[in-house]
Amino acid sequence: MFWDALIRKDEFARYQLSEKIVNFIYPGYIFSEYGRSYLKEKKFKNYYQRFETNNWRSYDRKYFLDQLLKSVVDVSGDTAECGVYMGASSWLICDRIQRGEKTHHIFDSFEGLSQPEDIDGDYWQEGDMSIDIGKVKEILNSFDFVEYHKGWIPERFIDVEDKKFCFVHVDVDLYEPTRDAIEFFYSRLNKNGILLCDDYGFDSCPGATRAMDEFFHNRQEHVINVPTGQAFIIKR
Ligand SMILES: C[S@@+](CC[C@H](N)C(=O)[O-])C[C@H]1O[C@@H](n2cnc3c(N)ncnc32)[C@H](O)[C@@H]1O
């Protein structure tokens, strides 16, 4: 294996060798199957690197979000994202819906995270991921159907209280704003609409997982936990 990996530079042998090395150094990491084509998609990789140049850690989540969006393009209603940061996931949402009649609503403090509570653990600090709204507007400037609702969740939800939605992305990392976003948007989701919660199942975001589980505990929708660190429901 060493010969094939290091001298012949055989791709699969290199993968196997990497797996062995990682198993030795960090056994908690589980290598997935070799040769998954989505990891080589040039167009998607280029999109990702516009937003993240240091690592590939959220590549799978972004990819999953993009694929899931295909199933709501024909569902009526607008889209919304709670927790936008640089606009990477909003960019994907806008790209998918741009040929429809939908408006994309953006909710963010643009001052970073609110104060984490005990339930959120100690990974996050107040103010993390603060960003200038002007930068986000620049990134999304090719989409003329975006509405910005700057403020602390749920203050600006009132702006869209009469609207219906086909897709809502909740990505605020903490318990309270995740809970408030789910409570507000659930009744405004159209049938077959999707609510996707980011960070579900991550050690760093116990509050996001708890908010989803609590809200859907007695409801007919199933929380579908995907291995990327996301969970979604399809509105019945
Ligand atoms: C993880 S980032 C969002 C990343 C983005 N969805 C992406 O994938 O590109 C979390 C965002 O949530 C926002 N946020 C967190 N708590 C908030 C709150 N209580 N009210 C409004 N915005 C909040 C932060 O300002 C930050 O931009």
Side-chain angles (χ1 to χ4, degrees):
M1 186 197 298
F2 280 101
W3 173 265
D4 284 341
L6 301 178
I7 310 299
R8 282 187 54 229
K9 295 200 177 341
D10 176 88
E11 200 47 33
F12 184 50
R14 288 162 77 183
Y15 193 81
Q16 287 176 303
L17 180 60
S18 306
E19 188 177 19
K20 287 219 177 308
I21 293 168
V22 170
N23 281 347
F24 180 70
I25 298 172
Y26 186 62
Y29 185 78
I30 294 173
F31 259 57
S32 195
E33 204 55 79
Y34 172 76
R36 285 165 299 155
S37 57
Y38 88 97
L39 296 172
K40 295 182 197 147
E41 278 183 29
K42 267 214 171 90
K43 194 172 160 220
F44 203 82
K45 283 173 104 168
N46 287 342
Y47 145 78
Y48 185 86
Q49 288 189 300
R50 271 186 65 192
F51 295 93
E52 182 60 81
T53 47
N54 290 329
N55 65 67
W56 295 94
R57 290 178 196 162
S58 70
Y59 184 81
D60 55 352
R61 281 185 285 151
K62 293 288 187 294
Y63 198 91
F64 182 75
L65 162 68
D66 186 46
Q67 291 299 306
L68 198 59
L69 282 160
K70 289 179 181 173
S71 73
V72 297
V73 169
D74 296 327
V75 177
S76 63
D78 287 346
T79 56
E81 180 167 60
C82 303
V84 176
Y85 190 42
M86 287 170 63
S89 39
S90 268
W91 193 95
L92 288 176
I93 296 169
C94 291
D95 191 50
R96 281 281 173 203
I97 65 164
Q98 62 186 317
R99 278 163 289 277
E101 299 283 294
K102 300 178 186 305
T103 298
H104 180 57
H105 299 272
I106 277 180
F107 294 89
D108 202 297
S109 64
F110 296 102
E111 293 176 39
L113 301 186
S114 45
Q115 173 74 52
E117 300 168 82
D118 289 347
I119 195 177
D120 295 305
D122 53 14
Y123 185 85
W124 295 111
Q125 306 294 318
E126 185 177 4
D128 281 353
M129 289 178 288
S130 165
I131 189 150
D132 173 12
I133 190 173
K135 247 188 192 163
V136 182
K137 287 186 173 171
E138 209 179 297
I139 285 166
L140 300 177
N141 72 1
S142 56
F143 306 112
D144 60 4
F145 47 86
V146 180
E147 283 185 15
Y148 293 83
H149 309 270
K150 180 178 181 332
W152 295 104
I153 290 168
E155 282 169 8
R156 300 290 306 273
F157 285 168
I158 195 168
D159 300 354
V160 296
E161 65 178 350
D162 298 328
K163 304 224 176 281
K164 287 290 208 172
F165 294 85
C166 67
F167 188 84
V168 179
H169 190 218
V170 181
D171 188 5
V172 282
D173 298 339
L174 306 176
Y175 176 76
E176 207 174 284
T178 303
R179 179 202 62 199
D180 292 348
I182 298 168
E183 276 175 6
F184 178 82
F185 282 105
Y186 175 73
S187 60
R188 290 170 176 82
L189 262 184
N190 279 326
K191 185 169 179 238
N192 294 327
I194 287 179
L195 184 147
L196 173 67
C197 180
D198 195 68
D199 298 318
Y200 184 95
F202 279 165
D203 290 347
S204 54
C205 300
T209 307
R210 172 128 172 219
M212 273 298 268
D213 288 344
E214 273 178 7
F215 186 85
F216 289 105
H217 177 61
N218 280 324
R219 289 192 164 73
Q220 49 179 334
E221 288 83 7
H222 299 289
V223 173
I224 301 166
N225 178 5
V226 280
T228 47
Q230 293 158 300
F232 68 96
I233 61 98
I234 303 172
K235 184 76 185 289
R236 297 261 176 103

